[in-house]
Each structure stands twice: as C-alpha cells, then as structure tokens.
Amino acid sequence: QVRLAESGGGLVQVGGSLRLSCVASGNIGSIDAMAWYRQAPGKQREWIASITSAGTISYLDSVKGRFTISRDNARDNARNTVYLQMNSLKPEDTGVYYCTQYIDYRDYWGQGTQVTVSS
C-alpha cells in the first residue's frame, strides 16, 4: 500500500522560509507528476506547483519567484520525495499544505501539514 507523509510545516514570521517534504513509501511502480496544494481557512484547496517525471515545472502565479518545487526519486529505497522550498513567506501563504503524487496511474494524497505565517 502506498502512503504519503508530509513534514516541514510550522509557524514562521513574514519574510521567513520553510521547506516542506513529502515522502512516498510502499509498493511503488512508476511515479508521474507530483504536486503541492494548499487550503487556507475558509477557502477551497488550490493548486500551487507541480513537477512531472520529465522535470516540467509549473507554479501558481502568486508563488512564482518565491517557491521552488523539486523531486528526488530514490527508487532503490522505494522512497520518492517531493519538496517545496518556500521563501519570502506572506500571511496569505497560511494554510494546510498537501502533497499529491500520481503513482501507478492513481492519485495519492498526504495528510497535510500546517503552515502559519505571522505578521
């Protein structure tokens, strides 16, 4: 069974940085796209960034230049990780951050990690 586990969230001041990680473990065949979403209080979940197996990267306009998505495919350990480096954080970046990975033709989601940016 495949599981995703996120980490790296926390409380940070405006202008600070955080690095989120999301590790996939279990019986993994192939991984296509990986992505990050977030859900602010009282709002719908929104897509932030994604990276394909070919390395094509896309960002939500509001995070371009501040956030960086990257991936690490350590297939020999059956651990596959996607990262989100977040710099110059703003209060509007506050929310629960979720990762998703498209593994063996199915979407898997993590449980989410809270990011709070205080002003």
Side-chain angles (χ1 to χ4, degrees), residues 5-74:
E6 297 123 332
S7 61
L11 174 65
V12 64
Q13 291 188 331
V14 170
S17 298
L18 286 173
R19 189 190 194 211
L20 306 183
S21 300
C22 172
V23 179
S25 60
N27 186 18
I28 298 171
S30 64
I31 300 181
D32 191 357
M34 299 175 169
W36 287 94
Y37 287 71
R38 71 183 174 199
Q39 187 165 17
K43 295 186 177 181
Q44 290 187 335
R45 190 175 300 186
E46 66 175 349
W47 167 83
I48 300 172
S50 59
I51 181 168
T52 69
S53 58
T56 301
I57 293 174
S58 301
Y59 294 103
L60 180 70
D61 283 347
S62 63
V63 307
K64 282 182 181 177
R66 300 188 298 120
F67 290 10
T68 302
I69 188 172
S70 59
R71 62 190 287 167
D72 172 24
N73 290 329

Side-chain angles (χ1 to χ4, degrees), residues 82-99:
V82 59
Y83 305 96
L84 187 68
Q85 177 67 44
M86 305 186 295
N87 300 327
S88 303
L89 283 162
K90 304 175 181 180
E92 52 264 42
D93 294 321
T94 294
V96 179
Y97 283 68
Y98 299 89
C99 73

